[in-house]
Amino acid sequence: MEYELLDWPPDGPKLRLDYERFSYAGKFVMTNTGKAVAREEGDEDGEIVAAVAFNEDRTDEDTLWLRYVTVARDRRGEGIGPRLCRLVRDRALERGYERLRIAVNNPFAYEALYRCGFAYTGETTGIAELVLEYPRPDPIDEVEDPDRHAAERYRTGLEEFRERDLSAEEEEFLESRRGSEPPDPEVEADS
């Protein structure tokens, strides 16, 4: 898999993604967001299998928002999304952003972003998305028991999802995480 950051906002390229293969496909034709993609290595036509769109926070120039993350439906669960988000995260930090944020609307995205080192802030958007942030919203030295605090924060976010109308797949996923610790950041996920 090849991972590439294409450009920064406001000069992002238009990506024409197949709406039947990708969630949020229409959001990637906007040029005011930066874009990063994952492509199948050695693929002649450079077929995109995942994409991320991002832009600077309107009121805080030190914060970059990941706006849309999408992985081709037939490639989900391979860890491509978290690896692509790590690329954007690392490049954004190199570029001088102090923090990255993303709002997620499902437990699969929540888990994937935790694998990238993001953590739940306790905030939600007006459309009930959970806001995650990198680095962790609470500096480690300000918390008495950082591991317990991180686990409680992770489980609190999962509970937010349990209160929603979920698919059977989402319910099963959440049940498998009941009482668990947050996933280790940087650990590659196969599922």
Side-chain angles (χ1 to χ4, degrees):
M1 194 67 52
E2 295 176 350
Y3 298 87
E4 178 183 7
L5 195 142
L6 301 177
D7 213 339
W8 292 95
D11 302 317
K14 285 184 181 182
L15 295 180
R16 301 213 183 273
L17 302 176
D18 180 352
Y19 72 91
E20 291 179 346
R21 255 187 107 201
F22 294 94
S23 300
Y24 313 114
K27 301 294 185 181
F28 287 87
V29 296
M30 298 167 35
T31 59
N32 65 337
T33 57
K35 311 281 187 324
V37 297
R39 300 177 196 272
E40 195 64 56
E41 196 168 2
D43 190 338
E44 287 178 21
D45 60 7
E47 181 184 22
I48 294 172
V49 296
V52 177
F54 48 89
N55 68 319
E56 193 172 280
D57 186 277
R58 291 182 185 118
T59 61
D60 181 1
E61 65 186 25
D62 294 328
T63 300
L64 187 76
W65 278 88
L66 303 183
R67 294 293 177 187
Y68 300 97
V69 179
T70 189
V71 177
R73 286 181 173 81
D74 61 328
R75 301 302 298 269
R76 291 180 181 164
E78 296 179 30
I80 297 168
R83 284 190 287 270
L84 185 57
C85 288
R86 278 195 284 279
L87 169 75
V88 174
R89 178 200 68 195
D90 294 346
R91 295 283 176 82
L93 294 172
E94 290 169 4
R95 195 170 173 93
Y97 290 101
E98 294 177 10
R99 91 193 111 275
L100 285 81
R101 299 187 107 199
I102 185 169
V104 298
N105 62 9
N106 68 75
F108 303 115
Y110 183 83
E111 182 89 357
L113 271 296
Y114 255 87
R115 291 188 186 285
C116 301
F118 285 74
Y120 181 43
T121 63
E123 301 170 36
T124 57
T125 66
I127 54 174
E129 295 172 314
L130 278 61
V131 178
L132 286 80
E133 185 173 277
Y134 181 91
R136 284 183 177 179
D138 299 320
I140 296 294
D141 57 354
E142 292 182 17
V143 178
E144 187 174 316
D145 184 349
D147 291 334
R148 192 179 108 242
H149 180 74
E152 287 173 3
R153 182 179 293 273
Y154 169 73
R155 289 191 286 265
T156 297
L158 292 176
E159 287 302 317
E160 290 275 341
F161 287 114
R162 284 189 178 93
E163 297 172 9
R164 299 177 181 190
D165 186 24
L166 303 170
S167 69
E169 191 177 48
E170 289 171 320
E171 286 178 3
E172 182 179 320
F173 177 82
L174 286 172
E175 192 55 38
S176 76
R177 299 304 190 268
R178 191 174 294 281
S180 68
E181 299 294 312
D184 290 329
E186 308 304 323
V187 172
E188 300 297 326
D190 293 329
S191 57

